[in-house]
Amino acid sequence: MQDNTQGRVWLITGCSSGFGRELALAAVAAGDRVMATARRPEALADLAEQDGIGTTALDVTDPVSIDAAVQATLAAYGRIDVLVNNAGSLVLGAVEEVTMAELRQQMEVVFFGAAEVTKAVLPLMREQGSGTIVQMSSLGGQKTYPGFGAYHAAKWALEGLSETLATELAPLGVRVLIVEPGAFRTEFNNNKYVTEQTAAYQDTAGATRRLTHELSGVEPNDPVKGAAAILKVLDSDRLPLRLLLGGDAVDGLREHHEALLAEVAAWEEISRSTAIA
């Protein structure tokens, strides 16, 4: 076991690219230590060459793999201070176009996988009386777009679980941060799974298919800057429950919430008409 006096210890899922990789590099640059994981650990070979970064396999859909990765982190560093649930996938298609098998697989990776990793680490953090769980969600964890129904379902479920978890853990000294990025220039968009298309949805889900294709490689946000923002927030004494990343995320969520409030006001009289006289 290594000396435990230096920095925080991170366990990060989905480090083969994107936010997972950049968070691992940023954490080590800040003096912390990292167990970087991926379903295929050979994709982490270059990270393994960095001082302060260990690597191991972690498949979020395999409980045995999750437990092995947690134990590997404890064997190497003796504790876990920051868990980042970053592993993800994207199924793109209208709700009718998504098969039940595809929907279940989306939920397995994005929701159940993150939930299982979280539950594997929670007892350790409770015993320490400290720690932070970072749930990598999305603007799509609160706002929806045609064609992303399966993805939204998984992210909304993750956010509901995480918001509840935050209230349960606050008295125990463990924090929860839900990160909601907009469009970042990572490989995430290129690695999406696209369903069979139905002509009836060309103007809705089909438009989203075309937009995501056009956005690939020209996304407006930098994952290096996104990782730096997350580290800065983690150092805050007043951790927010949610952290939007990107001007597109801020603008999109503000527009969404304004529309929600307007609808509440428009139908308030009927909403309140149900009271027992």
Side-chain angles (χ1 to χ4, degrees), residues 155-169:
K155 288 298 189 186
W156 283 47
L158 178 63
E159 293 215 9
L161 186 79
S162 301
E163 184 169 330
T164 305
L165 185 64
T167 62
E168 295 168 350
L169 292 178

Side-chain angles (χ1 to χ4, degrees), residues 180-254:
E180 298 174 332
F184 275 74
R185 203 165 297 182
T186 69
E187 291 301 310
F188 183 72
N189 187 26
N190 294 330
N191 294 333
K192 63 183 175 292
Y193 175 85
V194 181
T195 68
E196 295 292 330
Q197 297 188 56
T198 302
Y201 298 108
Q202 283 302 305
D203 293 336
T204 52
T208 303
R209 291 175 187 262
R210 294 187 293 273
L211 179 61
T212 56
H213 178 74
E214 294 166 1
L215 193 60
S216 180
V218 293
E219 295 91 346
N221 295 299
D222 182 349
V224 174
K225 293 180 178 179
I230 292 171
L231 260 72
K232 185 174 182 179
V233 168
L234 288 181
D235 288 335
S236 171
D237 292 333
R238 297 182 61 192
L239 191 74
L241 175 61
R242 288 179 170 85
L243 173 66
L244 289 163
L245 290 180
D248 54 337
V250 173
D251 294 341
L253 192 63
R254 178 173 286 128

